[in-house]
Amino acid sequence: MVEPHGLAIYPAAGRIYWANFADPVIYFANLDGSGGGELDTTGALVEQPLGLAVYPAQGRIYWANFDGGEHDIDFANLDGSGGGGTLDLTGGTVDMPR
């Protein structure tokens, strides 16, 4: 089942990004209609992703994970090189992110 959650548009790169709640992948499409694919999220957790945010200055995309006890916020590089990880949320609480 496809359940897209969260859209993030990165105009400077000409891309739109989204996640599917039941699919451990972050997808992208080129805004000029020339195709798209899966973003390399190596090193990050993608488990029932909800919401996306693009931070161009860091060259990263961020998302929240809903899965079971793994409520966290992860990231990957926008250039497709992976380089993902999980943010250190010490001192903060992530409970049922949306």
Side-chain angles (χ1 to χ4, degrees):
M1 173 185 283
V2 176
E3 296 180 45
H5 282 268
L7 293 175
I9 298 175
Y10 184 14
R15 286 188 169 175
I16 186 169
Y17 297 85
W18 70 94
N20 289 326
F21 184 70
D23 190 3
V25 179
I26 305 298
Y27 295 95
F28 70 90
N30 297 313
L31 295 172
D32 65 5
S34 63
E38 298 180 3
L39 184 68
D40 182 352
T41 57
T42 302
L45 179 66
V46 185
E47 292 292 333
Q48 296 177 326
L50 294 168
L52 297 172
V54 171
Y55 190 2
Q58 285 187 338
R60 288 185 174 169
I61 187 167
Y62 294 84
W63 62 91
N65 288 304
F66 177 78
D67 181 53
E70 299 297 328
H71 299 168
D72 58 19
I73 299 173
D74 284 77
F75 62 89
N77 292 326
L78 288 166
D79 65 6
S81 65
T86 300
L87 285 180
D88 179 357
L89 300 174
T90 302
T93 301
V94 180
D95 186 19
M96 306 276 299
R98 294 175 199 231

